[in-house]
Every structure is written in C-alpha cells, then in structure tokens.
Amino acid sequence: VLIRTWPSSSNKYYAFRRFEVFDQDGGLVAEALSTWVILDVARRRMKAMTQEVRDLRAHGQIKDAPRDPNPKKIARLDTYVHEKGITARRSDLDRNGHVNNTVLTGWLLEAIPQDVYEAGALASAEVSFRAECLAHEKVSSQCSPSQTGLEPETSFLHTIIRNRDGKELIRAETRFAHS
C-alpha cells in the first residue's frame, strides 16, 4: 500500500490536505480530503491560518487543489431510529485531552443496525466534526436511514450528541455496500 498526501489549498481559516491510497498494482483505492484549522486553546476559538500555511501552494510545493474545497453540507438528523449510549474512556483521548476524531468516527458505527453492519462494508463516510468531547463524558450516537433509495446500498444520517448539554459533536452520512 502506498499513501500520498499533500497540502492542497487554504483560505483565511481553513487548510485542506489531500490523500490518495494505492494498492500494490498502483491502482487508486481511496481518496480523502481533510480540513484543518488552527485553534486558540485558551479562547477555544478558531484563529486565522498563518501566512506560512497559506503560502505553501503559492511556492509550488504542491501540485493540485482539492476536487471540492467546500465539502457538501450534511443534512441534520432531526429524528433517529437507532441509538447507542457511549461513555468516553481515557484510552479514547488524544494528547490534548479530547476524544480522538478516529474514535468519534468509530462511535458513529455503534448505532448502525447489526444486520446492516454484518451484511455489508462501509463504502463511504462524509464527516463533520462540530464540538469536542472530553474524558468520561456521556454521549448518544444516533442514526436513521437516509432517503437515497439506492440499492444494493444503504445510507444513514448520523449525529453524536453530548448528553450533559445536548451539543452536537459530530454529524455524518455513511453508505454501506452490500456484499
């Protein structure tokens, strides 16, 4: 497996990084675009990108812009069909004391019905991180089938809600391909 990654563009508040994954024959098997921000930890607010980051593309250090620097908006999940309660553990935390984004993304799958989870494979996920989760916080992972009408695929809208204040931590849409 070969993974290529590079900074692809930026604006005042966001920097975008592109990823490509190739198999042993050189075939492209996955692509991803991540969005990065600078956070003022003391004020808990985003800060403008540094000029150094914004200038990376201008200096020719990268070769192309992302396909979609403004990812689609994920619909809000207003009512859910499936729910799983989760408590953040110490092992879920990153060095800043927040639940790691990979862990949060995994929590989305906890609400997927067992029959869907066993019958297929996760084919795609659009994820929007909206707020932090700290150690020992209790959350609710919720999902409902989305109205795509695609078969043999199953799509879900997701949200993870922090129990103590009802704050939405993550919003996502997943698609499962049946095997």
Side-chain angles (χ1 to χ4, degrees):
V1 173
L2 171 68
I3 300 173
R4 277 187 46 217
T5 183
W6 62 95
S8 54
S9 67
S10 64
N11 60 35
K12 184 175 180 180
Y13 289 103
Y14 300 98
F16 302 98
R17 186 166 194 87
R18 196 159 164 204
F19 299 82
E20 294 177 333
V21 181
F22 299 89
D23 63 18
Q24 67 249 13
D25 299 322
L28 182 66
V29 295
E31 292 181 284
L33 176 67
S34 63
T35 305
W36 296 75
V37 298
I38 296 177
L39 181 68
D40 179 331
V41 178
R43 295 180 59 219
R44 301 190 104 49
R45 297 195 186 278
M46 283 191 334
K47 291 177 63 172
M49 277 291 140
T50 63
Q51 193 61 45
E52 180 181 45
V53 171
R54 295 180 74 196
D55 287 345
L56 283 175
R57 187 155 174 30
H59 288 105
Q61 297 176 17
I62 53 179
K63 61 182 182 180
D64 63 353
R67 290 186 182 158
D68 186 4
N70 299 307
K72 75 173 187 169
K73 298 235 186 269
I74 300 168
R76 181 183 174 94
L77 178 63
D78 292 318
T79 58
Y80 60 89
V81 177
H82 307 284
E83 179 182 33
K84 172 75 174 176
I86 299 168
T87 300
R89 304 167 304 173
R90 261 185 280 170
S91 61
D92 297 331
L93 305 181
D94 61 21
R95 294 183 56 88
N96 296 315
H98 304 107
V99 172
N100 180 287
N101 285 352
T102 303
V103 172
L104 276 171
T105 304
W107 289 355
L108 294 172
L109 302 180
E110 292 298 322
I112 294 289
Q114 190 66 26
D115 61 325
V116 173
Y117 188 79
E118 291 176 355
L122 181 63
S124 69
E126 293 277 339
V127 182
S128 174
F129 299 98
R130 307 176 85 70
E132 64 190 4
C133 183
L134 305 173
H136 311 296
E137 287 192 313
K138 295 181 184 321
V139 301
S140 174
S141 177
Q142 304 167 353
C143 74
S144 286
S146 63
Q147 304 301 324
T148 61
L150 298 175
E151 285 297 332
E153 299 169 346
T154 304
S155 297
F156 289 88
L157 290 176
H158 299 262
T159 190
I160 294 180
I161 303 294
R162 187 169 46 215
N163 293 0
R164 72 175 160 86
D165 60 4
K167 180 82 172 170
E168 185 177 41
L169 306 181
I170 188 171
R171 184 182 294 183
E173 185 170 8
T174 58
R175 185 175 53 82
F176 286 79
H178 296 275
S179 17

